[in-house]
Amino acid sequence: MSVTTHSGGSILGHPVKRTEDRELITGAGVYTGNMPVEGALHAFFVRSPIAHGTLGDIDVDEAKGMPGVVAVYTAADLELNDRPGLPGVVPETMNRPLLAKGKVRHVGDIVAIVVAETASEAIDAAETVFPDIEPLPAVTDIEAAMADDAPLLFEGTESNMVAGAGTGEVEGIFDDADVVVKAKFHNQKLAGVPMEPNAVVVEPGENGKLTFWASTQTPHGLRDQMAGDLGVDGEDVRVIAPRVGGGFGPKAFAYSEYSIIARAAQKLGRPVRWNETRSENMLSMVHGRAQVQWVELGVKNDGTFVGLRATAVGDAGAYPAIGAVLPSLTQLLAQGVYDLPAIDFTWKAVATNTTTVGAYRGAGRPEATQLLERIIDMAADEIGMDPLEIRRKNYLQPEQYPLTTLTGANYDTAEHEKAADAAKEAAGYDALLAEQKRRRESGDRIALGIGVGSYVEVTAPLGLDGEYGSAQAHPDGTFTVMAGTSAHGQGHETAFCQLASSVLGVPMEKIKLVQSDTELVRSGAGTLGSRSLQTGGTAIHNASQELVAEAREIAAHLLEAAVEDIDHSDDGFGVRGIGDKVITWAQIAQAAEDGSGYEDGRGHEMRQELDFKAGDSTFPFGTHIAVVEVDLDTGFVKQRRHVAVDDCGIILNPMLVAGQQHGGIAQGISQALYERVTYDEDGNPTSGNLASYTIPTAADLPSFEVSNTETTTPLNPIGAKGIGESGTIGSTPAVHNAVIDAVSHLGIHHIDMPLTPETVWRAIHGANGSDPATRQQAGPEYAGKAITEDTPDSAQA
Amino acid sequence: MSTTIPLTITVDGEPRDLDVDPRTTLLDALRDRLGVTSTKKGCDHGQCGACTVLLDGRRVLACLTLAVAKDGADVVTANGLATDGELHPVTEAFLANDAYQCGYCTPGQICSAVGAIDEARQGMPSAVTSDLTGEVTLDRTEIAERMSGNLCRCAAYVNIVSAVEEASRA
């Protein structure tokens, strides 16, 4: 398959400037928080200050009498269905009461909602609500939650285990290995931190109808979840996502706040709005990552991989949901880009008294890449081989594709050496090694580190490889295209109109993208999992092709010619070889609507819609090389360069691709160096704002050197794979490996992320890791040696 | 509880009268009371920069500014930077350099950039300026440092720095 463009596709592959820009640049874009809804009340939530406890009476009397207060509701006042975490995976005993009943399970758990005329009145009143909570022992640590004597979060369960599976044991997996390296890695809990926190306005309408304006990545998914929570028909719920100020995965989740607000709005018969505060956001918006991994890699002395054995245990948080299966994506990608002969992988998910875990940029895949790329570097170090060389020796070769990996991933296409060679050349790898040697020999206290990360990732995963799309021609010469994806900064209005423009042969400005409204767009899976262009874009592309086919038939009818003799050009449709009579798109759409374009004379809108199904996920890949400087006296890491070669198939708009690479790389670097959600021993969050939870600024990051190789995929006519998460997946291990490389001559084999100055300094100084006062700051494992302890029994399959 | 204080603020060129609870921040006064939503609320704690506006010509965080303390002040948001329908050069540079994605932090970034360029022209040093008394050259390091109060989770930083660099030469 290939993209069909009647005029050579001049607009494809070019950095077309974004059409959404003008509105956003002055701040005139309408986000949920400034969606004008007449007469809306304001909600604020009373949240548990205790991580785990028995919930007694909730005193709301004072709040009800406060100025402006319209209502205060607790679980007993609002009929809301308990929500299943993930049907078929998460046990029903772990269903989530949307307002806490009987127990609270994390700091931030919702105890009551206050609705008032203004936001400040709601906040003032919420401060007077007093929930009587008897504290119970809290468990926030993954391994502690798995222990036999762990406090249990849910009644009717025998443990906090939520889900798990594995490949099964491989006998004699390391029999042929000369060396087996072993390690335990913490892939720390992260917060998504979109600049716009969650926000919603719910307006009750006639006959039980509800309209939601919400800051979401998945309008249709949110509609279905709200219908389930409220016990109403999906048809009675309309969800509209206006401009959305960043998502990064967490806004693909349907927040219980939204259902509570909807029920309150129904009861009060008035619209209710809620703009989440940043402090609430850090407690309530789903977190990401959060795995402990036990990893063993067997290699021969010449660098050949023999086998991988690993157990990954994910933290699903207090109310296990999608996070309960994200470690299965870690297993799915455990083979990485390598010709690994054997894999023995086990994954599990466990509940803890922390914020629920969901998808965050990468969602299960960065954990796989990190696991592999760290253990490979440790193996290379052990046998004295260059990290890039050991990878090259084991890369899957292009002729092996397509292939099904040992853990069941259907890899479509790849050329790993090509991407790695491009990265090596762009980085000037050999010169960097020479510089490192010079610095070490001269005793330079600023150590240079070079790190490599090769990755493959799965885009449009978990059955998200299908999408709705439509294309319509209007008699005024304009067009409307629709897709079930829902952009929130990616630039789909530009990219999708580029695609339609190339197929329809009309300028982009004639085409309008309609998205993010469940009443206008028939169905959709939203924008997540780097799926949008390959699914929604393809659906629009194909619907546009069908619209051109329909136009040819109408033109043939009007011109009394055979369909196969109709030529399609930028001017319109004419008969090949006969004169210059051309019928425009506007004339054709008019003829369709008034019926003159059809044999039977029955007019209708000129519109084509379809459901595209790729049949499988695509697998982008690439190699990143990071160059860092580590101050051996302070532990401070300064990243000097970041070279990324990402292959996302055929590129539609290089400017949009570069933007996704930049954003992804920044978030990946940030996991390696800065970010970590932390809790104290009682389960109190200690990283609850943007002063204690570090996301990088312009001054923290180097300029990125991004480029691409283009390896097409047969799974869609564009040849495109996803790019939204690649940067995040490739960059973290490259930066992590670079920092370890910088200090490896001191005998350090591993330091857990984030590699803050204190963590690195402690590793350099060989401080022991038993000091609880510094544990939270420095990370759980900062001792300067590889962990050699065996996989604990409780983590075995 | 119900004490309010009257004040007048000029916002994007228009004098606006309002009565506020003394606890009201300039940000809430703008967004909730005056319907000026160009400036955004990202954290309400002075940690993200999304609410940056120009107040009497200097960039400030509207969420850390009490409205009552600014009676008579002149406030300019990203929406008010245009003159005679022409976009401000900094705004144009953001467009030309693809310096944003979701757009939420952008109005604050642009106000901050206008303030930063002006501060540099006045010779104000930053933490990375080597010569504290001479002229300031806005190279990428200086720009990144001076823009480091404005978070962008989409991380359009590379292009933001390029946009400010371009605008500073205009």
Side-chain angles (χ1 to χ4, degrees), chain A residues 18 21 26 31 278 675 696, chain B residues 38 42 100-102 153 157:
Chain A
R18 304 199 321 170
D21 281 355
T26 57
Y31 296 82
R278 181 59 63 190
E675 296 180 39
Chain B
S38 168
Y100 57 106
Q101 291 175 25
C102 80
R153 189 56 156 170
Y157 294 129

Side-chain angles (χ1 to χ4, degrees), chain B residues 3 12 24 34 50 55-56 74 82 94 118 165 168:
Chain B
T3 308
D12 293 337
T24 308
L34 299 175
L55 192 139
D56 295 331
D74 182 51
F94 268 65
D118 188 51
E165 198 174 19
S168 71

Side-chain angles (χ1 to χ4, degrees), chain A residues 54-200:
Chain A
T54 306
L55 178 61
D57 292 340
I58 304 165
D59 184 354
V60 300
D61 290 348
E62 189 182 346
K64 282 183 171 172
M66 296 276 285
V69 171
V70 177
V72 183
Y73 300 125
T74 65
D77 306 313
L78 294 183
E79 268 182 40
L80 286 162
N81 296 332
D82 289 356
R83 185 191 288 184
L86 197 61
V89 177
V90 177
E92 281 179 28
T93 44
M94 297 184 174
N95 282 1
R96 176 179 200 158
L98 301 180
L99 276 154
K101 283 184 211 163
K103 266 184 112 175
V104 290
R105 294 185 177 84
H106 71 103
V107 172
D109 214 349
I110 304 169
V111 169
I113 178 175
V114 178
V115 185
E117 295 291 344
T118 69
S120 40
E121 286 167 339
I123 293 170
D124 283 347
E127 285 187 1
T128 70
V129 174
F130 183 75
D132 183 11
I133 300 169
E134 187 63 35
L136 295 166
V139 59
T140 60
D141 177 84
I142 293 172
E143 289 171 79
M146 291 196 296
D148 290 340
D149 59 348
L152 297 180
L153 269 76
F154 294 92
E155 305 297 316
T157 56
E158 286 170 11
S159 79
N160 293 314
M161 298 306 296
V162 184
T167 55
E169 202 179 326
V170 180
E171 291 233 356
I173 190 168
F174 298 133
D175 285 356
D176 295 335
D178 296 319
V179 174
V180 179
V181 284
K182 215 178 232 195
K184 177 181 171 188
F185 302 138
H186 287 83
N187 203 296
Q188 79 271 32
K189 205 172 198 234
L190 301 180
V193 198
M195 295 317 298
E196 178 203 32
N198 276 325
V200 74

Side-chain angles (χ1 to χ4, degrees), chain A residues 431-496:
Chain A
L432 288 167
L433 292 181
E435 183 185 343
Q436 183 184 56
K437 189 158 177 280
R438 274 201 309 278
R439 286 204 193 190
R440 284 183 181 174
E441 284 168 0
S442 71
D444 197 332
R445 296 301 291 167
I446 304 294
L448 188 75
I450 307 122
V452 180
S454 287
Y455 72 92
V456 59
E457 78 123 335
V458 53
T459 61
L462 300 170
L464 292 167
D465 58 317
E467 191 50 274
Y468 165 83
S470 73
Q472 181 175 358
H474 303 288
D476 66 356
T478 64
F479 299 80
T480 301
V481 295
M482 294 190 191
T485 48
S486 191
H488 43 280
Q490 294 84 353
H492 294 174
E493 285 163 58
T494 308
F496 291 4

Side-chain angles (χ1 to χ4, degrees), chain A residues 12 22 105 134 168 225 242 260-261 341 345 386 398 426 431 441 526 621:
Chain A
L12 299 183
R22 293 262 161 191
R105 294 185 177 84
E134 187 63 35
Q225 186 69 65
I260 298 166
I261 284 168
F345 200 100
D386 176 80
E441 284 168 0
F621 61 92

Side-chain angles (χ1 to χ4, degrees), chain A residues 17-18 21-22 25-27 31 34 124 191-193 195 245 248 278 360 489 659 663 666-667 675 690-691 695-697, chain B residues 23 37-38 40 42-43 45 47-48 79 87 91 94-96 98 100-104 107 110 144 148 153-155 157:
Chain A
K17 285 275 187 294
R18 304 199 321 170
D21 281 355
R22 293 262 161 191
I25 197 85
T26 57
Y31 296 82
N34 57 304
D124 283 347
V193 198
M195 295 317 298
F248 313 113
R278 181 59 63 190
Y360 166 62
Q667 290 184 4
E675 296 180 39
L690 297 180
I695 70 172
T697 72
Chain B
R23 300 174 298 174
T37 54
S38 168
K40 301 291 188 276
C43 72
H45 284 77
Q47 295 162 353
C48 80
N79 198 32
L87 291 180
T91 314
F94 268 65
L95 280 172
D98 190 38
Y100 57 106
Q101 291 175 25
C102 80
Y104 197 78
I110 288 175
S148 65
R153 189 56 156 170
C154 300
Y157 294 129

Side-chain angles (χ1 to χ4, degrees), chain A residues 171 189 203 224 320 342 397 399 465 576 579 642 676 748 758 772 784:
Chain A
E171 291 233 356
K189 205 172 198 234
E203 183 173 51
D224 296 345
Q397 296 302 310
E399 60 273 17
D465 58 317
R576 189 172 308 126
H642 194 92
R676 181 169 177 240
I748 294 169
E758 183 180 346

Side-chain angles (χ1 to χ4, degrees), chain A residues 540-555:
Chain A
I540 283 176
H541 170 269
N542 292 358
S544 298
Q545 282 186 328
E546 293 193 1
L547 197 69
V548 170
E550 186 182 357
R552 283 177 185 280
E553 287 185 13
I554 294 172

